[in-house]
Coordinates of all heavy atoms in Angstrom, one line a residue:
R860 N 115.5 210.1 142.3 CA 114.5 210.4 141.2 C 115.0 209.6 139.8 O 114.3 209.1 139.1 CB 114.5 211.9 140.9 CG 113.5 212.3 139.9 CD 113.4 213.9 139.8 NE 112.9 214.5 141.0 CZ 113.7 215.2 141.8 NH1 115.0 215.3 141.6 NH2 113.3 215.7 142.9
K861 N 116.4 209.6 139.7 CA 116.9 208.9 138.4 C 116.7 207.4 138.6 O 116.3 206.8 137.7 CB 118.4 209.3 138.3 CG 118.7 210.7 138.0 CD 120.2 211.0 138.0 CE 120.5 212.4 137.8 NZ 121.9 212.8 137.8
Y862 N 116.9 207.0 139.8 CA 116.8 205.6 140.1 C 115.3 205.1 139.8 O 115.0 204.1 139.2 CB 117.2 205.3 141.5 CG 117.1 203.7 141.8 CD1 118.0 202.9 141.3 CD2 116.1 203.3 142.6 CE1 118.0 201.5 141.6 CE2 116.1 202.0 143.0 CZ 117.1 201.1 142.5 OH 117.0 199.7 142.8
A863 N 114.4 206.0 140.3 CA 112.9 205.9 140.1 C 112.6 205.8 138.6 O 111.7 205.0 138.2 CB 112.2 206.7 140.9
G864 N 113.1 206.6 137.9 CA 113.0 206.7 136.5 C 113.3 205.5 135.8 O 112.6 204.9 135.0
V865 N 114.5 204.9 136.2 CA 114.9 203.5 135.6 C 113.9 202.6 136.0 O 113.5 201.6 135.3 CB 116.3 203.2 136.1 CG1 116.8 201.8 135.6 CG2 117.2 204.2 135.6
R866 N 113.6 202.5 137.3 CA 112.6 201.5 137.8 C 111.2 201.6 137.1 O 110.6 200.5 136.8 CB 112.4 201.9 139.3 CG 111.3 201.2 140.0 CD 111.4 199.8 140.3 NE 110.4 199.2 141.2 CZ 109.1 199.2 140.8 NH1 108.6 199.6 139.7 NH2 108.2 198.7 141.7
I867 N 110.8 202.8 136.9 CA 109.4 203.0 136.2 C 109.6 202.5 134.8 O 108.7 201.9 134.2 CB 109.0 204.5 136.3 CG1 108.7 204.8 137.7 CG2 107.9 204.7 135.4 CD1 108.5 206.3 137.9
G868 N 110.8 202.7 134.1 CA 110.9 202.3 132.8 C 110.8 200.8 132.5 O 110.8 200.3 131.5
L869 N 111.0 200.0 133.7 CA 111.0 198.5 133.7 C 109.6 198.1 134.0 O 109.5 196.9 134.4 CB 112.0 198.0 134.6 CG 113.4 198.3 134.2 CD1 114.4 197.9 135.3 CD2 113.8 197.6 132.9
D870 N 108.6 198.8 134.0 CA 107.2 198.4 134.4 C 106.7 197.1 133.7 O 106.1 196.2 134.2 CB 106.2 199.6 134.1 CG 105.9 200.4 135.4 OD1 106.4 200.0 136.5 OD2 105.4 201.4 135.3
A871 N 106.9 197.1 132.2 CA 106.6 196.0 131.6 C 107.2 194.6 132.0 O 106.4 193.7 132.1 CB 106.7 196.3 130.0
V872 N 108.5 194.7 132.3 CA 109.2 193.6 132.8 C 108.6 193.2 134.1 O 108.5 192.1 134.4 CB 110.7 193.8 132.9 CG1 111.5 192.5 133.3 CG2 111.2 194.3 131.5
E873 N 108.3 194.1 135.0 CA 107.8 193.8 136.3 C 106.4 193.2 136.3 O 106.1 192.3 136.9 CB 107.8 195.1 137.2 CG 107.4 194.8 138.6 CD 107.7 195.9 139.6 OE1 108.0 197.0 139.1 OE2 107.6 195.7 140.8
L874 N 105.6 193.7 135.3 CA 104.3 193.2 135.2 C 104.4 191.6 134.7 O 103.7 190.8 135.2 CB 103.6 193.8 134.1 CG 102.9 195.2 134.6 CD1 102.3 195.9 133.4 CD2 101.9 195.1 135.7
K875 N 105.4 191.4 134.0 CA 105.7 189.9 133.5 C 106.1 189.1 134.6 O 105.6 188.0 134.8 CB 106.8 189.9 132.5 CG 107.0 188.6 131.8 CD 108.0 188.6 130.7 CE 108.2 187.3 130.1 NZ 109.2 187.4 128.9
N876 N 106.9 189.6 135.6 CA 107.2 189.0 136.8 C 106.1 188.7 137.7 O 105.9 187.6 138.4 CB 108.3 189.7 137.6 CG 109.8 189.5 136.9 OD1 110.1 188.5 136.3 ND2 110.5 190.7 136.8
D877 N 105.2 189.7 137.8 CA 103.9 189.5 138.6 C 103.1 188.4 138.1 O 102.5 187.7 138.9 CB 103.2 190.9 138.6 CG 103.9 192.0 139.4 OD1 104.7 191.8 140.1 OD2 103.4 193.2 139.2
Y878 N 103.0 188.4 136.7 CA 102.3 187.2 136.1 C 102.9 185.9 136.5 O 102.1 185.0 136.8 CB 102.2 187.4 134.6 CG 101.9 186.2 133.8 CD1 100.5 185.8 133.9 CD2 102.8 185.4 133.2 CE1 100.1 184.6 133.2 CE2 102.5 184.3 132.5 CZ 101.1 183.9 132.5 OH 100.7 182.7 131.9
L879 N 104.2 185.8 136.3 CA 104.9 184.6 136.6 C 104.7 184.2 138.1 O 104.5 183.0 138.4 CB 106.3 184.5 136.2 CG 106.6 184.7 134.7 CD1 108.1 184.9 134.5 CD2 106.1 183.4 134.1
R880 N 104.7 185.1 138.9 CA 104.6 184.9 140.4 C 103.1 184.3 140.6 O 103.0 183.4 141.4 CB 104.8 186.2 141.3 CG 104.7 185.9 142.7 CD 104.9 187.3 143.4 NE 106.2 187.9 143.1 CZ 106.4 188.9 142.5 NH1 105.3 189.6 141.9 NH2 107.6 189.5 142.2
A881 N 102.1 185.0 140.0 CA 100.8 184.6 140.2 C 100.6 183.1 139.6 O 99.9 182.2 140.1 CB 99.9 185.5 139.6
L882 N 101.3 182.8 138.5 CA 101.1 181.6 137.8 C 101.6 180.4 138.7 O 101.0 179.4 138.7 CB 101.9 181.7 136.5 CG 101.7 180.4 135.6 CD1 100.3 180.4 135.0 CD2 102.7 180.5 134.4
T883 N 102.6 180.6 139.5 CA 103.3 179.6 140.3 C 102.3 179.2 141.4 O 102.4 178.1 142.0 CB 104.6 180.0 140.9 OG1 104.3 181.2 141.7 CG2 105.6 180.2 139.8
I884 N 101.3 180.1 141.8 CA 100.4 179.7 142.9 C 99.0 179.6 142.5 O 98.1 179.5 143.2 CB 100.4 180.9 144.0 CG1 100.1 182.2 143.4 CG2 101.9 180.8 144.7 CD1 100.0 183.2 144.5
D885 N 98.8 179.5 141.2 CA 97.4 179.3 140.6 C 97.1 177.9 140.5 O 97.9 177.1 140.0 CB 97.4 180.0 139.1 CG 96.0 179.8 138.6 OD1 95.0 180.5 139.0 OD2 96.0 179.0 137.5
S886 N 95.9 177.5 141.1 CA 95.6 176.1 141.1 C 95.3 175.5 139.8 O 95.6 174.3 139.6 CB 94.4 175.9 142.1 OG 93.3 176.7 141.5
A887 N 94.8 176.3 138.8 CA 94.5 175.8 137.5 C 95.8 175.5 136.8 O 95.9 174.5 136.2 CB 93.7 176.9 136.8
A888 N 96.8 176.4 136.8 CA 98.0 176.1 136.2 C 98.8 175.1 136.9 O 99.6 174.4 136.3 CB 98.8 177.5 136.2
A889 N 98.6 174.9 138.3 CA 99.4 174.0 139.0 C 99.3 172.6 138.4 O 100.3 171.8 138.4 CB 99.1 174.0 140.5
K890 N 98.1 172.2 137.9 CA 97.9 170.9 137.3 C 98.8 170.6 136.2 O 99.5 169.6 136.1 CB 96.4 170.7 136.9 CG 95.5 170.8 138.1 CD 94.1 170.4 137.7 CE 93.5 171.4 136.7 NZ 93.0 172.6 137.4
E891 N 98.8 171.5 135.3 CA 99.7 171.3 134.0 C 101.1 171.4 134.3 O 102.0 170.7 133.7 CB 99.2 172.4 132.9 CG 97.9 172.1 132.3 CD 97.6 172.8 131.0 OE1 98.6 173.4 130.6 OE2 96.5 172.7 130.5
I892 N 101.5 172.4 135.1 CA 102.9 172.5 135.6 C 103.4 171.3 136.1 O 104.6 170.9 135.8 CB 103.0 173.6 136.7 CG1 102.8 175.0 136.0 CG2 104.4 173.6 137.3 CD1 102.7 176.1 137.0
R893 N 102.7 170.4 136.8 CA 103.1 169.2 137.5 C 103.1 168.1 136.4 O 104.0 167.3 136.3 CB 102.3 168.9 138.7 CG 102.7 169.7 139.9 CD 101.7 169.9 140.9 NE 102.1 170.6 142.1 CZ 102.3 172.0 142.1 NH1 102.0 172.7 141.0 NH2 102.8 172.6 143.2
V894 N 101.9 168.0 135.7 CA 101.7 167.0 134.7 C 102.7 166.9 133.6 O 103.4 165.9 133.2 CB 100.3 166.9 134.1 CG1 100.2 166.0 133.0 CG2 99.3 166.6 135.3
F895 N 103.0 168.2 133.1 CA 104.0 168.3 132.0 C 105.4 168.5 132.5 O 106.4 168.7 131.6 CB 103.5 169.4 131.0 CG 102.3 169.2 130.4 CD1 101.1 170.0 130.6 CD2 102.1 168.0 129.6 CE1 99.9 169.7 129.9 CE2 101.0 167.7 128.9 CZ 99.9 168.7 129.1
G896 N 105.6 168.5 133.7 CA 107.0 168.7 134.3 C 107.6 170.1 134.0 O 108.8 170.2 133.6
L897 N 106.8 171.1 134.1 CA 107.3 172.5 133.7 C 107.9 173.2 134.9 O 108.3 174.3 134.7 CB 106.0 173.3 133.3 CG 105.2 172.8 132.0 CD1 104.0 173.6 131.8 CD2 106.1 172.7 130.9
L898 N 108.0 172.6 136.0 CA 108.5 173.4 137.3 C 109.9 173.9 137.1 O 110.2 175.0 137.2 CB 108.5 172.4 138.4 CG 108.8 173.1 139.8 CD1 107.8 174.3 140.0 CD2 108.7 172.2 140.9
E899 N 110.8 173.1 136.6 CA 112.3 173.5 136.4 C 112.3 174.6 135.3 O 113.0 175.6 135.4 CB 113.1 172.3 136.0 CG 113.3 171.3 137.1 CD 114.1 172.0 138.3 OE1 115.0 172.8 138.1 OE2 113.7 171.7 139.5
W900 N 111.5 174.4 134.2 CA 111.6 175.3 133.2 C 111.1 176.6 133.7 O 111.6 177.7 133.4 CB 110.8 174.9 132.0 CG 110.6 176.0 130.9 CD1 111.5 176.2 129.9 CD2 109.6 176.9 130.8 NE1 111.0 177.2 129.2 CE2 109.9 177.8 129.6 CE3 108.4 177.2 131.5 CZ2 109.0 178.8 129.3 CZ3 107.6 178.3 131.2 CH2 107.9 179.0 130.1

């Protein structure tokens, strides 16, 4: 229960990770990621 409380408290950070994960497989973003060399960043 305590561990879940910590985990729940990090929802905002996890949503950010979800966004970044989706960004890496998004075809629209893929063009700019490659053209501007954003992959390493």
Side-chain angles (χ1 to χ4, degrees):
R860 189 176 295 107
K861 294 175 184 176
Y862 183 73
V865 175
R866 163 76 168 69
I867 291 168
L869 294 169
D870 269 346
V872 181
E873 187 169 6
L874 284 173
K875 186 175 183 179
N876 285 323
D877 290 345
Y878 162 74
L879 292 172
R880 184 183 301 109
L882 188 66
T883 60
I884 59 175
D885 179 67
S886 59
K890 297 190 290 291
E891 291 196 5
I892 289 173
R893 284 157 177 77
V894 170
F895 294 121
L897 300 177
L898 186 58
E899 289 300 322
W900 175 87

